[in-house]
Every structure is written in C-alpha cells, then in structure tokens.
Amino acid sequence: MNKSLSATMHHAQRIFIKVPEITVYFWIIKVLTTGMGEVFSDYLVKHINPLIAVAFGGIGLVSSLVLQFSVRRYVTWIYWLVVVMVSIFGTMVADVMHVGLGIPYLVSTTFFAVALTIIFITWYAIEKTLSIHSIYSRRREAFYWSTVLGTFALGTAAGDMTAYTMHLGYFSSGILFTVLLAIPALGYWLFGLNGIFAFWFAYIMTRPVGASFSDWISVSHSRGGLGLGEGPVSFGLTIIILLFVGYLAASRRDVNAEPTESVMR
C-alpha cells in the first residue's frame, strides 16, 4: 500500500471515529455521569412505579443508541446522552438483580465481571483490537457500547458490594475505588502500562467512584451520608454535566486530532 493511499485511509478513519478524544474533560464528565446516573435512578424508582422507571430507562437507552448509531461521526451531546442513559439503566439493571431478584451483590458483581470479560474476549477475537480510537464501524461501535453498559453494571454492583456486603459505607467505598482508579493512571504514566488495558481498567473504576460519592452526598445521615437527597444531587450534577458538554461542543477540545492506539493520553 503506497503512502498516499494509507494516509487517505487514516484520514477517513479519523473522520468517522465515533468516540471523543481522551482528555481530562472526558474523565471529569465520566465520573459526573456515573454519579448522576446512580442517584437519578434511585430517585426514579422511589418516586414512580419501579417497573415503569425501568421501562423508561430502557426506552431512553434504546432511543439514545439509535440516535448515536444514526450519525456518521462523533457528536459531543449525542455521545454523552448515551453515556448518561447507560449510567441510569446500568444502575437499574444491577439494582433489579439485587432488590428485585434477591441476588447477593457478590454474585451479581461476579456475574457482570464474567460477562464483561466475555465481551472483551469476543471483541478482541473478532476485531483484533480493543482501542476506542478504532471505533469507526458499526460492529466495533456495538462492541464498544456493550462494553460500556457492562462496565456500568459491574461498577454499580461492585460499589454496592463494598458499601453493604463489606460494610465500608459509601464514603470509604469511594476512597477505596479512587485509589484503585489511580493505579492504571500511575502505571501508564510512570511504568509504561499498556494504554488500552489502563484505559478500560480506569473506565471500570470510575463507575463505583462516582456512584459511591454521589450516594454519600445524597443519602440520609442515618445511612452515613450528607442527606442532600437524590433529587437535588441529580439536578446539580445534571447542570454541571451540561456545562462541560456545552463547553466541549463549542470548543471541540474532545475531537480526535489523529487516530492512535494510545487511549490514556
């Protein structure tokens, strides 16, 4: 393949990449969406019929995914809308397994960990890469969003497991997962840890970090929290998310400049 043809292919792939550049803004919004999804899911199931809440969550997720798959390139607000809906519905799925079906958090955490591992193995076996900067085909995008949903469900179950089963409480759980979140970042920057592995490890950890701290802020004093309530915390986080997403949409700081396999930079 000559250089001009290779450059043309790379340019075409860059145009059609469907995910944002991984910057500090990405990680900030990611943590905010995990917290918002956790508390808003709890708010919904407490204020309307849980079955209706789950149905609304599922419809919202499917609708946002249809919108995401209908566009040909990365669009900031559409991408983060899907992440928010995944966060809300992923929380509901994990909670249904425990509250609705009576499955212990340890079992659900193990189940989601195995399911996520299967998704990763299948994705790599078919596509030969797990890099999010290679998401420029529908099949890879389907693998990507399946993985994202799995990470949210796993993170929710793991956070609840440490808070309840291990009796750490929300705040201590948040600290624990923050330390775990720092491991791949330090490993990548200081010791040359594989960027793709580091990214997905960190991505999984952001879920229980955001969920644990948002629960701690929202739940009552009797449950070890600050007692601000799910409604106000959900609203506050939504406003902050909208501000960040609006800034990125206007500045385009999250648009990939060049295709790359390194996803932690």
PDB file of all heavy atoms in Angstrom, residues 202-240:
ATOM      1  N   ALA A 202      -9.342   1.866  34.198  1.00  0.00           N
ATOM      2  CA  ALA A 202      -9.780   3.141  34.780  1.00  0.00           C
ATOM      3  C   ALA A 202     -11.252   3.396  34.501  1.00  0.00           C
ATOM      4  O   ALA A 202     -11.981   3.905  35.362  1.00  0.00           O
ATOM      5  CB  ALA A 202      -8.925   4.281  34.228  1.00  0.00           C
ATOM      6  N   TYR A 203     -11.703   3.045  33.307  1.00  0.00           N
ATOM      7  CA  TYR A 203     -13.096   3.264  32.937  1.00  0.00           C
ATOM      8  C   TYR A 203     -14.039   2.502  33.868  1.00  0.00           C
ATOM      9  O   TYR A 203     -15.069   3.036  34.296  1.00  0.00           O
ATOM     10  CB  TYR A 203     -13.314   2.813  31.494  1.00  0.00           C
ATOM     11  CG  TYR A 203     -14.575   3.354  30.856  1.00  0.00           C
ATOM     12  CD1 TYR A 203     -14.538   4.515  30.086  1.00  0.00           C
ATOM     13  CD2 TYR A 203     -15.798   2.715  31.022  1.00  0.00           C
ATOM     14  CE1 TYR A 203     -15.675   5.025  29.495  1.00  0.00           C
ATOM     15  CE2 TYR A 203     -16.950   3.215  30.442  1.00  0.00           C
ATOM     16  CZ  TYR A 203     -16.884   4.363  29.684  1.00  0.00           C
ATOM     17  OH  TYR A 203     -18.028   4.869  29.106  1.00  0.00           O
ATOM     18  N   ILE A 204     -13.681   1.275  34.183  1.00  0.00           N
ATOM     19  CA  ILE A 204     -14.499   0.475  35.104  1.00  0.00           C
ATOM     20  C   ILE A 204     -14.518   1.107  36.492  1.00  0.00           C
ATOM     21  O   ILE A 204     -15.563   1.187  37.150  1.00  0.00           O
ATOM     22  CB  ILE A 204     -13.978  -0.968  35.173  1.00  0.00           C
ATOM     23  CG1 ILE A 204     -14.174  -1.670  33.823  1.00  0.00           C
ATOM     24  CG2 ILE A 204     -14.676  -1.755  36.280  1.00  0.00           C
ATOM     25  CD1 ILE A 204     -13.486  -3.015  33.718  1.00  0.00           C
ATOM     26  N   MET A 205     -13.363   1.581  36.956  1.00  0.00           N
ATOM     27  CA  MET A 205     -13.260   2.123  38.313  1.00  0.00           C
ATOM     28  C   MET A 205     -14.007   3.441  38.485  1.00  0.00           C
ATOM     29  O   MET A 205     -14.449   3.766  39.585  1.00  0.00           O
ATOM     30  CB  MET A 205     -11.788   2.331  38.682  1.00  0.00           C
ATOM     31  CG  MET A 205     -10.996   1.041  38.905  1.00  0.00           C
ATOM     32  SD  MET A 205     -11.665   0.031  40.265  1.00  0.00           S
ATOM     33  CE  MET A 205     -12.396  -1.324  39.299  1.00  0.00           C
ATOM     34  N   THR A 206     -14.166   4.221  37.396  1.00  0.00           N
ATOM     35  CA  THR A 206     -14.860   5.498  37.544  1.00  0.00           C
ATOM     36  C   THR A 206     -16.307   5.311  37.974  1.00  0.00           C
ATOM     37  O   THR A 206     -16.877   6.191  38.638  1.00  0.00           O
ATOM     38  CB  THR A 206     -14.836   6.306  36.232  1.00  0.00           C
ATOM     39  OG1 THR A 206     -15.413   5.536  35.180  1.00  0.00           O
ATOM     40  CG2 THR A 206     -13.423   6.720  35.876  1.00  0.00           C
ATOM     41  N   ARG A 207     -16.887   4.178  37.610  1.00  0.00           N
ATOM     42  CA  ARG A 207     -18.296   3.961  37.963  1.00  0.00           C
ATOM     43  C   ARG A 207     -18.501   3.904  39.479  1.00  0.00           C
ATOM     44  O   ARG A 207     -19.307   4.680  40.019  1.00  0.00           O
ATOM     45  CB  ARG A 207     -18.818   2.689  37.291  1.00  0.00           C
ATOM     46  CG  ARG A 207     -20.215   2.281  37.724  1.00  0.00           C
ATOM     47  CD  ARG A 207     -21.222   3.386  37.445  1.00  0.00           C
ATOM     48  NE  ARG A 207     -22.547   3.044  37.942  1.00  0.00           N
ATOM     49  CZ  ARG A 207     -23.595   3.840  37.848  1.00  0.00           C
ATOM     50  NH1 ARG A 207     -23.452   5.037  37.302  1.00  0.00           N
ATOM     51  NH2 ARG A 207     -24.763   3.469  38.301  1.00  0.00           N
ATOM     52  N   PRO A 208     -17.828   3.008  40.209  1.00  0.00           N
ATOM     53  CA  PRO A 208     -18.045   2.994  41.658  1.00  0.00           C
ATOM     54  C   PRO A 208     -17.530   4.243  42.364  1.00  0.00           C
ATOM     55  O   PRO A 208     -18.027   4.581  43.434  1.00  0.00           O
ATOM     56  CB  PRO A 208     -17.294   1.741  42.123  1.00  0.00           C
ATOM     57  CG  PRO A 208     -16.318   1.437  41.048  1.00  0.00           C
ATOM     58  CD  PRO A 208     -16.978   1.881  39.776  1.00  0.00           C
ATOM     59  N   VAL A 209     -16.538   4.933  41.778  1.00  0.00           N
ATOM     60  CA  VAL A 209     -16.094   6.194  42.383  1.00  0.00           C
ATOM     61  C   VAL A 209     -17.224   7.215  42.366  1.00  0.00           C
ATOM     62  O   VAL A 209     -17.622   7.769  43.404  1.00  0.00           O
ATOM     63  CB  VAL A 209     -14.868   6.770  41.641  1.00  0.00           C
ATOM     64  CG1 VAL A 209     -14.594   8.201  42.096  1.00  0.00           C
ATOM     65  CG2 VAL A 209     -13.636   5.918  41.912  1.00  0.00           C
ATOM     66  N   GLY A 210     -17.774   7.480  41.189  1.00  0.00           N
ATOM     67  CA  GLY A 210     -18.850   8.450  41.075  1.00  0.00           C
ATOM     68  C   GLY A 210     -20.089   8.042  41.831  1.00  0.00           C
ATOM     69  O   GLY A 210     -20.719   8.860  42.512  1.00  0.00           O
ATOM     70  N   ALA A 211     -20.455   6.761  41.737  1.00  0.00           N
ATOM     71  CA  ALA A 211     -21.672   6.279  42.399  1.00  0.00           C
ATOM     72  C   ALA A 211     -21.549   6.339  43.914  1.00  0.00           C
ATOM     73  O   ALA A 211     -22.494   6.729  44.614  1.00  0.00           O
ATOM     74  CB  ALA A 211     -21.968   4.854  41.944  1.00  0.00           C
ATOM     75  N   SER A 212     -20.400   5.949  44.438  1.00  0.00           N
ATOM     76  CA  SER A 212     -20.209   5.920  45.896  1.00  0.00           C
ATOM     77  C   SER A 212     -20.283   7.319  46.489  1.00  0.00           C
ATOM     78  O   SER A 212     -20.970   7.550  47.496  1.00  0.00           O
ATOM     79  CB  SER A 212     -18.863   5.269  46.246  1.00  0.00           C
ATOM     80  OG  SER A 212     -18.827   3.918  45.851  1.00  0.00           O
ATOM     81  N   PHE A 213     -19.590   8.269  45.876  1.00  0.00           N
ATOM     82  CA  PHE A 213     -19.591   9.627  46.416  1.00  0.00           C
ATOM     83  C   PHE A 213     -20.943  10.316  46.239  1.00  0.00           C
ATOM     84  O   PHE A 213     -21.375  11.089  47.097  1.00  0.00           O
ATOM     85  CB  PHE A 213     -18.473  10.455  45.792  1.00  0.00           C
ATOM     86  CG  PHE A 213     -17.114  10.151  46.351  1.00  0.00           C
ATOM     87  CD1 PHE A 213     -16.087   9.707  45.531  1.00  0.00           C
ATOM     88  CD2 PHE A 213     -16.858  10.303  47.704  1.00  0.00           C
ATOM     89  CE1 PHE A 213     -14.822   9.425  46.044  1.00  0.00           C
ATOM     90  CE2 PHE A 213     -15.599  10.018  48.237  1.00  0.00           C
ATOM     91  CZ  PHE A 213     -14.581   9.583  47.405  1.00  0.00           C
ATOM     92  N   SER A 214     -21.623  10.048  45.125  1.00  0.00           N
ATOM     93  CA  SER A 214     -22.944  10.660  44.933  1.00  0.00           C
ATOM     94  C   SER A 214     -23.953  10.078  45.920  1.00  0.00           C
ATOM     95  O   SER A 214     -24.805  10.809  46.439  1.00  0.00           O
ATOM     96  CB  SER A 214     -23.429  10.458  43.491  1.00  0.00           C
ATOM     97  OG  SER A 214     -23.601   9.082  43.197  1.00  0.00           O
ATOM     98  N   ASP A 215     -23.855   8.782  46.188  1.00  0.00           N
ATOM     99  CA  ASP A 215     -24.718   8.175  47.217  1.00  0.00           C
ATOM    100  C   ASP A 215     -24.421   8.789  48.580  1.00  0.00           C
ATOM    101  O   ASP A 215     -25.341   9.097  49.350  1.00  0.00           O
ATOM    102  CB  ASP A 215     -24.493   6.663  47.271  1.00  0.00           C
ATOM    103  CG  ASP A 215     -25.324   5.912  46.242  1.00  0.00           C
ATOM    104  OD1 ASP A 215     -26.384   6.437  45.851  1.00  0.00           O
ATOM    105  OD2 ASP A 215     -24.908   4.815  45.828  1.00  0.00           O
ATOM    106  N   TRP A 216     -23.149   8.952  48.888  1.00  0.00           N
ATOM    107  CA  TRP A 216     -22.753   9.528  50.181  1.00  0.00           C
ATOM    108  C   TRP A 216     -23.316  10.938  50.354  1.00  0.00           C
ATOM    109  O   TRP A 216     -23.801  11.311  51.425  1.00  0.00           O
ATOM    110  CB  TRP A 216     -21.229   9.552  50.278  1.00  0.00           C
ATOM    111  CG  TRP A 216     -20.703  10.278  51.481  1.00  0.00           C
ATOM    112  CD1 TRP A 216     -20.874   9.928  52.785  1.00  0.00           C
ATOM    113  CD2 TRP A 216     -19.921  11.482  51.476  1.00  0.00           C
ATOM    114  NE1 TRP A 216     -20.245  10.832  53.615  1.00  0.00           N
ATOM    115  CE2 TRP A 216     -19.647  11.799  52.834  1.00  0.00           C
ATOM    116  CE3 TRP A 216     -19.412  12.300  50.477  1.00  0.00           C
ATOM    117  CZ2 TRP A 216     -18.897  12.917  53.197  1.00  0.00           C
ATOM    118  CZ3 TRP A 216     -18.659  13.407  50.835  1.00  0.00           C
ATOM    119  CH2 TRP A 216     -18.415  13.704  52.182  1.00  0.00           C
ATOM    120  N   ILE A 217     -23.293  11.717  49.281  1.00  0.00           N
ATOM    121  CA  ILE A 217     -23.811  13.080  49.352  1.00  0.00           C
ATOM    122  C   ILE A 217     -25.331  13.098  49.486  1.00  0.00           C
ATOM    123  O   ILE A 217     -25.893  13.933  50.192  1.00  0.00           O
ATOM    124  CB  ILE A 217     -23.383  13.880  48.103  1.00  0.00           C
ATOM    125  CG1 ILE A 217     -21.859  14.053  48.075  1.00  0.00           C
ATOM    126  CG2 ILE A 217     -24.057  15.250  48.070  1.00  0.00           C
ATOM    127  CD1 ILE A 217     -21.341  14.640  46.786  1.00  0.00           C
ATOM    128  N   SER A 218     -26.000  12.138  48.850  1.00  0.00           N
ATOM    129  CA  SER A 218     -27.460  12.206  48.765  1.00  0.00           C
ATOM    130  C   SER A 218     -28.197  11.496  49.890  1.00  0.00           C
ATOM    131  O   SER A 218     -29.278  11.952  50.302  1.00  0.00           O
ATOM    132  CB  SER A 218     -27.924  11.623  47.424  1.00  0.00           C
ATOM    133  OG  SER A 218     -27.588  10.251  47.324  1.00  0.00           O
ATOM    134  N   VAL A 219     -27.668  10.382  50.422  1.00  0.00           N
ATOM    135  CA  VAL A 219     -28.440   9.591  51.388  1.00  0.00           C
ATOM    136  C   VAL A 219     -28.488  10.287  52.750  1.00  0.00           C
ATOM    137  O   VAL A 219     -27.719  11.198  53.035  1.00  0.00           O
ATOM    138  CB  VAL A 219     -27.860   8.170  51.551  1.00  0.00           C
ATOM    139  CG1 VAL A 219     -27.866   7.431  50.221  1.00  0.00           C
ATOM    140  CG2 VAL A 219     -26.454   8.209  52.140  1.00  0.00           C
ATOM    141  N   SER A 220     -29.398   9.825  53.585  1.00  0.00           N
ATOM    142  CA  SER A 220     -29.635  10.452  54.886  1.00  0.00           C
ATOM    143  C   SER A 220     -28.466  10.260  55.842  1.00  0.00           C
ATOM    144  O   SER A 220     -27.602   9.396  55.639  1.00  0.00           O
ATOM    145  CB  SER A 220     -30.898   9.866  55.513  1.00  0.00           C
ATOM    146  OG  SER A 220     -30.717   8.482  55.762  1.00  0.00           O
ATOM    147  N   HIS A 221     -28.460  11.066  56.914  1.00  0.00           N
ATOM    148  CA  HIS A 221     -27.412  10.964  57.940  1.00  0.00           C
ATOM    149  C   HIS A 221     -27.434   9.590  58.595  1.00  0.00           C
ATOM    150  O   HIS A 221     -26.384   9.049  58.965  1.00  0.00           O
ATOM    151  CB  HIS A 221     -27.602  12.049  58.993  1.00  0.00           C
ATOM    152  CG  HIS A 221     -27.448  13.439  58.455  1.00  0.00           C
ATOM    153  ND1 HIS A 221     -26.234  13.968  58.059  1.00  0.00           N
ATOM    154  CD2 HIS A 221     -28.371  14.420  58.232  1.00  0.00           C
ATOM    155  CE1 HIS A 221     -26.398  15.205  57.631  1.00  0.00           C
ATOM    156  NE2 HIS A 221     -27.686  15.511  57.729  1.00  0.00           N
ATOM    157  N   SER A 222     -28.631   9.016  58.743  1.00  0.00           N
ATOM    158  CA  SER A 222     -28.746   7.706  59.386  1.00  0.00           C
ATOM    159  C   SER A 222     -28.078   6.607  58.581  1.00  0.00           C
ATOM    160  O   SER A 222     -27.716   5.572  59.122  1.00  0.00           O
ATOM    161  CB  SER A 222     -30.224   7.358  59.606  1.00  0.00           C
ATOM    162  OG  SER A 222     -30.905   7.269  58.361  1.00  0.00           O
ATOM    163  N   ARG A 223     -27.879   6.848  57.278  1.00  0.00           N
ATOM    164  CA  ARG A 223     -27.219   5.875  56.403  1.00  0.00           C
ATOM    165  C   ARG A 223     -25.769   6.277  56.131  1.00  0.00           C
ATOM    166  O   ARG A 223     -25.117   5.707  55.261  1.00  0.00           O
ATOM    167  CB  ARG A 223     -27.993   5.737  55.088  1.00  0.00           C
ATOM    168  CG  ARG A 223     -29.408   5.198  55.258  1.00  0.00           C
ATOM    169  CD  ARG A 223     -30.165   5.211  53.944  1.00  0.00           C
ATOM    170  NE  ARG A 223     -29.498   4.412  52.925  1.00  0.00           N
ATOM    171  CZ  ARG A 223     -29.849   4.418  51.637  1.00  0.00           C
ATOM    172  NH1 ARG A 223     -30.828   5.211  51.219  1.00  0.00           N
ATOM    173  NH2 ARG A 223     -29.206   3.657  50.765  1.00  0.00           N
ATOM    174  N   GLY A 224     -25.274   7.248  56.871  1.00  0.00           N
ATOM    175  CA  GLY A 224     -23.883   7.648  56.744  1.00  0.00           C
ATOM    176  C   GLY A 224     -23.611   8.686  55.690  1.00  0.00           C
ATOM    177  O   GLY A 224     -22.445   8.917  55.321  1.00  0.00           O
ATOM    178  N   GLY A 225     -24.661   9.353  55.198  1.00  0.00           N
ATOM    179  CA  GLY A 225     -24.478  10.338  54.148  1.00  0.00           C
ATOM    180  C   GLY A 225     -24.667  11.765  54.627  1.00  0.00           C
ATOM    181  O   GLY A 225     -24.865  12.024  55.814  1.00  0.00           O
ATOM    182  N   LEU A 226     -24.632  12.685  53.666  1.00  0.00           N
ATOM    183  CA  LEU A 226     -24.796  14.096  53.983  1.00  0.00           C
ATOM    184  C   LEU A 226     -26.255  14.536  53.953  1.00  0.00           C
ATOM    185  O   LEU A 226     -26.592  15.626  54.405  1.00  0.00           O
ATOM    186  CB  LEU A 226     -23.988  14.951  53.008  1.00  0.00           C
ATOM    187  CG  LEU A 226     -22.469  14.734  53.010  1.00  0.00           C
ATOM    188  CD1 LEU A 226     -21.799  15.688  52.034  1.00  0.00           C
ATOM    189  CD2 LEU A 226     -21.894  14.913  54.415  1.00  0.00           C
ATOM    190  N   GLY A 227     -27.129  13.697  53.380  1.00  0.00           N
ATOM    191  CA  GLY A 227     -28.558  13.948  53.425  1.00  0.00           C
ATOM    192  C   GLY A 227     -29.078  15.027  52.500  1.00  0.00           C
ATOM    193  O   GLY A 227     -30.126  15.619  52.767  1.00  0.00           O
ATOM    194  N   LEU A 228     -28.411  15.286  51.356  1.00  0.00           N
ATOM    195  CA  LEU A 228     -28.893  16.316  50.440  1.00  0.00           C
ATOM    196  C   LEU A 228     -30.052  15.842  49.576  1.00  0.00           C
ATOM    197  O   LEU A 228     -30.766  16.672  48.992  1.00  0.00           O
ATOM    198  CB  LEU A 228     -27.747  16.803  49.549  1.00  0.00           C
ATOM    199  CG  LEU A 228     -26.568  17.487  50.265  1.00  0.00           C
ATOM    200  CD1 LEU A 228     -25.597  18.046  49.246  1.00  0.00           C
ATOM    201  CD2 LEU A 228     -27.063  18.585  51.195  1.00  0.00           C
ATOM    202  N   GLY A 229     -30.238  14.539  49.452  1.00  0.00           N
ATOM    203  CA  GLY A 229     -31.356  13.999  48.694  1.00  0.00           C
ATOM    204  C   GLY A 229     -31.016  13.695  47.247  1.00  0.00           C
ATOM    205  O   GLY A 229     -30.216  14.406  46.626  1.00  0.00           O
ATOM    206  N   GLU A 230     -31.656  12.631  46.701  1.00  0.00           N
ATOM    207  CA  GLU A 230     -31.362  12.229  45.322  1.00  0.00           C
ATOM    208  C   GLU A 230     -31.772  13.278  44.300  1.00  0.00           C
ATOM    209  O   GLU A 230     -31.065  13.509  43.313  1.00  0.00           O
ATOM    210  CB  GLU A 230     -32.071  10.902  44.990  1.00  0.00           C
ATOM    211  CG  GLU A 230     -31.481   9.673  45.643  1.00  0.00           C
ATOM    212  CD  GLU A 230     -32.150   9.361  46.973  1.00  0.00           C
ATOM    213  OE1 GLU A 230     -32.975  10.203  47.424  1.00  0.00           O
ATOM    214  OE2 GLU A 230     -31.869   8.292  47.548  1.00  0.00           O
ATOM    215  N   GLY A 231     -32.928  13.931  44.529  1.00  0.00           N
ATOM    216  CA  GLY A 231     -33.399  14.933  43.579  1.00  0.00           C
ATOM    217  C   GLY A 231     -32.449  16.103  43.412  1.00  0.00           C
ATOM    218  O   GLY A 231     -32.002  16.399  42.290  1.00  0.00           O
ATOM    219  N   PRO A 232     -32.098  16.814  44.495  1.00  0.00           N
ATOM    220  CA  PRO A 232     -31.173  17.947  44.366  1.00  0.00           C
ATOM    221  C   PRO A 232     -29.803  17.548  43.824  1.00  0.00           C
ATOM    222  O   PRO A 232     -29.211  18.285  43.019  1.00  0.00           O
ATOM    223  CB  PRO A 232     -31.065  18.472  45.802  1.00  0.00           C
ATOM    224  CG  PRO A 232     -32.348  18.065  46.449  1.00  0.00           C
ATOM    225  CD  PRO A 232     -32.679  16.732  45.846  1.00  0.00           C
ATOM    226  N   VAL A 233     -29.286  16.395  44.251  1.00  0.00           N
ATOM    227  CA  VAL A 233     -27.973  15.959  43.761  1.00  0.00           C
ATOM    228  C   VAL A 233     -28.045  15.635  42.271  1.00  0.00           C
ATOM    229  O   VAL A 233     -27.146  16.005  41.497  1.00  0.00           O
ATOM    230  CB  VAL A 233     -27.464  14.744  44.562  1.00  0.00           C
ATOM    231  CG1 VAL A 233     -26.165  14.200  43.953  1.00  0.00           C
ATOM    232  CG2 VAL A 233     -27.233  15.126  46.015  1.00  0.00           C
ATOM    233  N   SER A 234     -29.111  14.964  41.838  1.00  0.00           N
ATOM    234  CA  SER A 234     -29.290  14.663  40.415  1.00  0.00           C
ATOM    235  C   SER A 234     -29.343  15.943  39.599  1.00  0.00           C
ATOM    236  O   SER A 234     -28.699  16.059  38.540  1.00  0.00           O
ATOM    237  CB  SER A 234     -30.579  13.866  40.195  1.00  0.00           C
ATOM    238  OG  SER A 234     -30.550  12.631  40.855  1.00  0.00           O
ATOM    239  N   PHE A 235     -30.102  16.930  40.073  1.00  0.00           N
ATOM    240  CA  PHE A 235     -30.245  18.192  39.360  1.00  0.00           C
ATOM    241  C   PHE A 235     -28.912  18.927  39.287  1.00  0.00           C
ATOM    242  O   PHE A 235     -28.523  19.432  38.223  1.00  0.00           O
ATOM    243  CB  PHE A 235     -31.291  19.063  40.054  1.00  0.00           C
ATOM    244  CG  PHE A 235     -31.501  20.396  39.402  1.00  0.00           C
ATOM    245  CD1 PHE A 235     -32.240  20.501  38.235  1.00  0.00           C
ATOM    246  CD2 PHE A 235     -30.950  21.548  39.951  1.00  0.00           C
ATOM    247  CE1 PHE A 235     -32.430  21.734  37.611  1.00  0.00           C
ATOM    248  CE2 PHE A 235     -31.133  22.782  39.344  1.00  0.00           C
ATOM    249  CZ  PHE A 235     -31.874  22.878  38.176  1.00  0.00           C
ATOM    250  N   GLY A 236     -28.210  18.981  40.414  1.00  0.00           N
ATOM    251  CA  GLY A 236     -26.928  19.675  40.442  1.00  0.00           C
ATOM    252  C   GLY A 236     -25.913  19.049  39.508  1.00  0.00           C
ATOM    253  O   GLY A 236     -25.214  19.757  38.755  1.00  0.00           O
ATOM    254  N   LEU A 237     -25.822  17.719  39.522  1.00  0.00           N
ATOM    255  CA  LEU A 237     -24.875  17.034  38.641  1.00  0.00           C
ATOM    256  C   LEU A 237     -25.255  17.210  37.178  1.00  0.00           C
ATOM    257  O   LEU A 237     -24.380  17.345  36.310  1.00  0.00           O
ATOM    258  CB  LEU A 237     -24.815  15.545  38.995  1.00  0.00           C
ATOM    259  CG  LEU A 237     -24.146  15.197  40.326  1.00  0.00           C
ATOM    260  CD1 LEU A 237     -24.270  13.706  40.618  1.00  0.00           C
ATOM    261  CD2 LEU A 237     -22.675  15.603  40.320  1.00  0.00           C
ATOM    262  N   THR A 238     -26.550  17.209  36.889  1.00  0.00           N
ATOM    263  CA  THR A 238     -27.007  17.408  35.508  1.00  0.00           C
ATOM    264  C   THR A 238     -26.575  18.769  34.981  1.00  0.00           C
ATOM    265  O   THR A 238     -26.104  18.885  33.837  1.00  0.00           O
ATOM    266  CB  THR A 238     -28.535  17.278  35.418  1.00  0.00           C
ATOM    267  OG1 THR A 238     -28.927  15.965  35.845  1.00  0.00           O
ATOM    268  CG2 THR A 238     -29.018  17.510  33.993  1.00  0.00           C
ATOM    269  N   ILE A 239     -26.723  19.798  35.793  1.00  0.00           N
ATOM    270  CA  ILE A 239     -26.313  21.144  35.377  1.00  0.00           C
ATOM    271  C   ILE A 239     -24.819  21.186  35.092  1.00  0.00           C
ATOM    272  O   ILE A 239     -24.377  21.748  34.073  1.00  0.00           O
ATOM    273  CB  ILE A 239     -26.678  22.181  36.461  1.00  0.00           C
ATOM    274  CG1 ILE A 239     -28.193  22.272  36.622  1.00  0.00           C
ATOM    275  CG2 ILE A 239     -26.090  23.548  36.109  1.00  0.00           C
ATOM    276  CD1 ILE A 239     -28.927  22.685  35.367  1.00  0.00           C
ATOM    277  N   ILE A 240     -24.021  20.583  35.964  1.00  0.00           N
ATOM    278  CA  ILE A 240     -22.565  20.588  35.762  1.00  0.00           C
ATOM    279  C   ILE A 240     -22.193  19.826  34.487  1.00  0.00           C
ATOM    280  O   ILE A 240     -21.332  20.269  33.703  1.00  0.00           O
ATOM    281  CB  ILE A 240     -21.851  19.973  36.977  1.00  0.00           C
ATOM    282  CG1 ILE A 240     -22.128  20.810  38.230  1.00  0.00           C
ATOM    283  CG2 ILE A 240     -20.347  19.894  36.737  1.00  0.00           C
ATOM    284  CD1 ILE A 240     -21.616  20.180  39.510  1.00  0.00           C
TER     285      ILE A 240
END
